[in-house]
Amino acid sequence: MTRISRPVTLATMTAAGLLMHLTAAPSAAAATGSPAPECVEHFQSWRYTDVHNGCSDTVSVTVEYTNGQWAPCRVIEPGGWATFSGYGPSGNYVTALRTCDPALVTADGT
């Protein structure tokens, strides 16, 4: 078995990580991308982002994050709540709430 030096291994893993970040699945918001109505609001913490539908109609929304990570499209009834990932230790904050079409998102999130 051939040994590879630590610097070469580190550089290879860093490059692979960067490529994975650039090719990460887009959020469900890519389907429509229009801003969610103002009556839909979010409350963010380290672990969770809670989204409340204060509208009189049912809405389908997804969360857009700083790093572009994938987020599911959730249907929220009037007065209802949905929970998404929070910002985590890397500071992945919510940048927007977007409308989406849950019929366009498959079970594997693509």
Side-chain angles (χ1 to χ4, degrees):
M1 188 170 189
T2 305
R3 291 189 65 145
I4 300 174
S5 70
R6 284 187 182 179
V8 171
T9 302
L10 181 59
T12 302
M13 297 203 48
T14 300
L18 288 172
L19 287 173
M20 286 178 60
H21 174 72
L22 293 174
T23 60
S27 75
T32 60
S34 60
E38 289 185 20
C39 50
V40 178
E41 54 190 343
H42 74 279
F43 304 91
Q44 186 170 245
S45 71
W46 181 84
R47 187 157 184 163
Y48 301 110
T49 298
D50 293 314
V51 177
H52 177 252
N53 178 6
C55 306
S56 58
D57 295 318
T58 299
V59 295
S60 296
V61 296
T62 188
V63 177
E64 185 176 273
Y65 293 99
T66 307
N67 74 356
Q69 84 177 31
W70 179 85
C73 181
R74 304 249 166 102
V75 178
I76 311 172
E77 299 290 328
W81 292 82
T83 302
F84 296 84
S85 295
Y87 52 81
S90 62
N92 189 24
Y93 295 96
V94 173
T95 58
L97 297 176
R98 302 270 183 202
T99 60
C100 55
D101 184 350
L104 296 177
V105 180
T106 63
D108 67 354
T110 57

